[in-house]
Each structure stands twice: as C-alpha cells, then as structure tokens.
mmCIF file of all heavy atoms in Angstrom:
data_model
loop_
_atom_site.group_PDB
_atom_site.id
_atom_site.type_symbol
_atom_site.label_atom_id
_atom_site.label_comp_id
_atom_site.label_asym_id
_atom_site.label_seq_id
_atom_site.Cartn_x
_atom_site.Cartn_y
_atom_site.Cartn_z
ATOM 1 N N ILE A 1 117.849 90.144 94.244
ATOM 2 C CA ILE A 1 117.029 90.252 93.035
ATOM 3 C C ILE A 1 117.575 91.350 92.131
ATOM 4 O O ILE A 1 117.599 91.200 90.901
ATOM 5 C CB ILE A 1 115.559 90.506 93.421
ATOM 6 C CG1 ILE A 1 114.996 89.282 94.144
ATOM 7 C CG2 ILE A 1 114.722 90.800 92.179
ATOM 8 C CD1 ILE A 1 113.628 89.493 94.752
ATOM 9 N N ALA A 2 118.058 92.451 92.731
ATOM 10 C CA ALA A 2 118.676 93.509 91.936
ATOM 11 C C ALA A 2 119.933 93.002 91.230
ATOM 12 O O ALA A 2 120.267 93.463 90.133
ATOM 13 C CB ALA A 2 119.021 94.704 92.819
ATOM 14 N N ALA A 3 120.627 92.045 91.855
ATOM 15 C CA ALA A 3 121.838 91.472 91.262
ATOM 16 C C ALA A 3 121.523 90.348 90.282
ATOM 17 O O ALA A 3 122.439 89.711 89.759
ATOM 18 C CB ALA A 3 122.764 90.952 92.370
ATOM 19 N N GLY A 4 120.241 90.107 90.048
ATOM 20 C CA GLY A 4 119.851 89.102 89.067
ATOM 21 C C GLY A 4 119.649 87.717 89.629
ATOM 22 O O GLY A 4 119.483 86.758 88.866
ATOM 23 N N THR A 5 119.641 87.589 90.961
ATOM 24 C CA THR A 5 119.493 86.289 91.604
ATOM 25 C C THR A 5 118.092 86.145 92.181
ATOM 26 O O THR A 5 117.651 87.007 92.944
ATOM 27 C CB THR A 5 120.527 86.130 92.740
ATOM 28 O OG1 THR A 5 121.839 86.227 92.189
ATOM 29 C CG2 THR A 5 120.371 84.783 93.434
ATOM 30 N N PRO A 6 117.368 85.103 91.839
ATOM 31 C CA PRO A 6 116.034 84.920 92.411
ATOM 32 C C PRO A 6 116.108 84.658 93.907
ATOM 33 O O PRO A 6 117.131 84.201 94.428
ATOM 34 C CB PRO A 6 115.477 83.712 91.653
ATOM 35 C CG PRO A 6 116.673 82.999 91.132
ATOM 36 C CD PRO A 6 117.724 84.035 90.883
ATOM 37 N N ALA A 7 115.016 84.951 94.603
ATOM 38 C CA ALA A 7 114.949 84.767 96.049
ATOM 39 C C ALA A 7 113.649 84.088 96.414
ATOM 40 O O ALA A 7 112.652 84.180 95.698
ATOM 41 C CB ALA A 7 115.058 86.125 96.756
ATOM 42 N N VAL A 8 113.667 83.414 97.552
ATOM 43 C CA VAL A 8 112.463 82.881 98.169
ATOM 44 C C VAL A 8 112.535 83.263 99.641
ATOM 45 O O VAL A 8 113.582 83.144 100.280
ATOM 46 C CB VAL A 8 112.346 81.353 97.985
ATOM 47 C CG1 VAL A 8 113.564 80.621 98.523
ATOM 48 C CG2 VAL A 8 111.071 80.825 98.631
ATOM 49 N N CYS A 9 111.426 83.768 100.182
ATOM 50 C CA CYS A 9 111.446 84.379 101.508
ATOM 51 C C CYS A 9 110.252 83.940 102.335
ATOM 52 O O CYS A 9 109.267 83.409 101.812
ATOM 53 C CB CYS A 9 111.413 85.905 101.406
ATOM 54 S SG CYS A 9 112.665 86.613 100.341
ATOM 55 N N GLY A 10 110.348 84.211 103.637
ATOM 56 C CA GLY A 10 109.196 84.072 104.494
ATOM 57 C C GLY A 10 108.127 85.073 104.076
ATOM 58 O O GLY A 10 108.441 86.211 103.726
ATOM 59 N N GLY A 11 106.865 84.660 104.124
ATOM 60 C CA GLY A 11 105.788 85.535 103.633
ATOM 61 C C GLY A 11 105.105 86.276 104.750
ATOM 62 O O GLY A 11 103.904 86.091 104.976
ATOM 63 N N ASN A 12 105.844 87.116 105.434
ATOM 64 C CA ASN A 12 105.297 87.785 106.613
ATOM 65 C C ASN A 12 105.938 89.146 106.806
ATOM 66 O O ASN A 12 106.863 89.517 106.094
ATOM 67 C CB ASN A 12 105.555 86.924 107.859
ATOM 68 C CG ASN A 12 107.001 86.472 107.927
ATOM 69 O OD1 ASN A 12 107.924 87.273 107.891
ATOM 70 N ND2 ASN A 12 107.211 85.170 108.000
ATOM 71 N N THR A 13 105.459 89.897 107.755
ATOM 72 C CA THR A 13 106.004 91.190 108.203
ATOM 73 C C THR A 13 106.401 92.047 107.004
ATOM 74 O O THR A 13 105.677 92.119 106.019
ATOM 75 C CB THR A 13 107.161 90.972 109.202
ATOM 76 O OG1 THR A 13 108.245 90.262 108.604
ATOM 77 C CG2 THR A 13 106.686 90.201 110.425
ATOM 78 N N ALA A 14 107.554 92.721 107.073
ATOM 79 C CA ALA A 14 107.946 93.623 105.985
ATOM 80 C C ALA A 14 108.357 92.870 104.723
ATOM 81 O O ALA A 14 108.373 93.456 103.636
ATOM 82 C CB ALA A 14 109.072 94.540 106.443
ATOM 83 N N LEU A 15 108.698 91.587 104.837
ATOM 84 C CA LEU A 15 109.014 90.816 103.640
ATOM 85 C C LEU A 15 107.790 90.739 102.727
ATOM 86 O O LEU A 15 107.897 90.882 101.507
ATOM 87 C CB LEU A 15 109.478 89.412 104.021
ATOM 88 C CG LEU A 15 110.816 89.321 104.755
ATOM 89 C CD1 LEU A 15 111.097 87.883 105.176
ATOM 90 C CD2 LEU A 15 111.943 89.861 103.892
ATOM 91 N N LYS A 16 106.626 90.532 103.315
ATOM 92 C CA LYS A 16 105.403 90.487 102.519
ATOM 93 C C LYS A 16 105.093 91.866 101.962
ATOM 94 O O LYS A 16 104.675 92.010 100.805
ATOM 95 C CB LYS A 16 104.247 89.980 103.376
ATOM 96 C CG LYS A 16 102.965 89.749 102.588
ATOM 97 C CD LYS A 16 101.936 89.006 103.428
ATOM 98 C CE LYS A 16 100.711 88.666 102.594
ATOM 99 N NZ LYS A 16 99.723 87.868 103.373
ATOM 100 N N GLU A 17 105.300 92.904 102.777
ATOM 101 C CA GLU A 17 105.051 94.275 102.328
ATOM 102 C C GLU A 17 105.886 94.617 101.093
ATOM 103 O O GLU A 17 105.385 95.224 100.142
ATOM 104 C CB GLU A 17 105.371 95.251 103.459
ATOM 105 C CG GLU A 17 105.238 96.721 103.085
ATOM 106 C CD GLU A 17 105.612 97.641 104.244
ATOM 107 O OE1 GLU A 17 105.390 97.263 105.404
ATOM 108 O OE2 GLU A 17 106.136 98.737 103.971
ATOM 109 N N ASN A 18 107.150 94.228 101.106
ATOM 110 C CA ASN A 18 108.059 94.612 100.022
ATOM 111 C C ASN A 18 108.040 93.650 98.832
ATOM 112 O O ASN A 18 108.237 94.089 97.698
ATOM 113 C CB ASN A 18 109.489 94.698 100.550
ATOM 114 C CG ASN A 18 109.706 95.892 101.459
ATOM 115 O OD1 ASN A 18 109.078 96.931 101.294
ATOM 116 N ND2 ASN A 18 110.592 95.746 102.437
ATOM 117 N N LEU A 19 107.813 92.356 99.092
ATOM 118 C CA LEU A 19 108.119 91.356 98.074
ATOM 119 C C LEU A 19 106.923 90.541 97.588
ATOM 120 O O LEU A 19 107.084 89.675 96.733
ATOM 121 C CB LEU A 19 109.189 90.393 98.606
ATOM 122 C CG LEU A 19 110.542 91.055 98.877
ATOM 123 C CD1 LEU A 19 111.404 90.164 99.756
ATOM 124 C CD2 LEU A 19 111.262 91.353 97.575
ATOM 125 N N GLU A 20 105.735 90.830 98.102
ATOM 126 C CA GLU A 20 104.570 90.069 97.662
ATOM 127 C C GLU A 20 104.353 90.267 96.163
ATOM 128 O O GLU A 20 104.338 91.393 95.658
ATOM 129 C CB GLU A 20 103.325 90.490 98.433
ATOM 130 C CG GLU A 20 102.119 89.611 98.137
ATOM 131 C CD GLU A 20 100.962 89.872 99.078
ATOM 132 O OE1 GLU A 20 100.838 91.023 99.573
ATOM 133 O OE2 GLU A 20 100.179 88.941 99.329
ATOM 134 N N GLY A 21 104.229 89.169 95.451
ATOM 135 C CA GLY A 21 104.047 89.223 94.013
ATOM 136 C C GLY A 21 105.339 89.323 93.225
ATOM 137 O O GLY A 21 105.322 89.229 91.999
ATOM 138 N N ILE A 22 106.448 89.521 93.923
ATOM 139 C CA ILE A 22 107.745 89.644 93.243
ATOM 140 C C ILE A 22 108.477 88.316 93.218
ATOM 141 O O ILE A 22 109.022 87.905 92.193
ATOM 142 C CB ILE A 22 108.605 90.729 93.914
ATOM 143 C CG1 ILE A 22 107.950 92.107 93.729
ATOM 144 C CG2 ILE A 22 110.030 90.731 93.353
ATOM 145 C CD1 ILE A 22 108.684 93.232 94.414
ATOM 146 N N CYS A 23 108.528 87.627 94.357
ATOM 147 C CA CYS A 23 109.222 86.344 94.442
ATOM 148 C C CYS A 23 108.393 85.394 95.305
ATOM 149 O O CYS A 23 107.461 85.829 96.000
ATOM 150 C CB CYS A 23 110.631 86.524 95.007
ATOM 151 S SG CYS A 23 110.692 86.989 96.758
ATOM 152 N N PRO A 24 108.692 84.103 95.291
ATOM 153 C CA PRO A 24 107.939 83.160 96.118
ATOM 154 C C PRO A 24 108.058 83.499 97.603
ATOM 155 O O PRO A 24 109.147 83.816 98.099
ATOM 156 C CB PRO A 24 108.594 81.812 95.812
ATOM 157 C CG PRO A 24 109.261 81.990 94.496
ATOM 158 C CD PRO A 24 109.705 83.416 94.454
ATOM 159 N N LEU A 25 106.933 83.417 98.314
ATOM 160 C CA LEU A 25 106.892 83.667 99.750
ATOM 161 C C LEU A 25 106.272 82.457 100.436
ATOM 162 O O LEU A 25 105.259 81.922 99.973
ATOM 163 C CB LEU A 25 106.073 84.918 100.069
ATOM 164 C CG LEU A 25 106.557 86.242 99.468
ATOM 165 C CD1 LEU A 25 105.607 87.374 99.859
ATOM 166 C CD2 LEU A 25 107.975 86.568 99.900
ATOM 167 N N ALA A 26 106.878 82.067 101.539
ATOM 168 C CA ALA A 26 106.391 80.910 102.299
ATOM 169 C C ALA A 26 105.550 81.380 103.475
ATOM 170 O O ALA A 26 106.019 82.165 104.301
ATOM 171 C CB ALA A 26 107.566 80.075 102.797
#
C-alpha cells in the first residue's frame, strides 16, 4: 500500500489490527 498498490487481506489477528478500514479484509 505504501508503494501505491492496493491489497486485500485476511480479516483476522494483527492484519485486522493494522489494516481494518484501510483495505478490504476477508
């Protein structure tokens, strides 16, 4: 995301902590 590329991630553990509301989470 810092490099300008969108991401989609699992919506759990630290991924949710860091990325909730930033990119799509499954």
Side-chain angles (χ1 to χ4, degrees):
I1 294 171
T5 300
V8 56
C9 307
N12 49 55
T13 62
L15 293 175
K16 187 169 185 177
E17 176 182 328
N18 289 329
L19 295 164
E20 187 170 29
I22 295 177
C23 69
L25 300 179

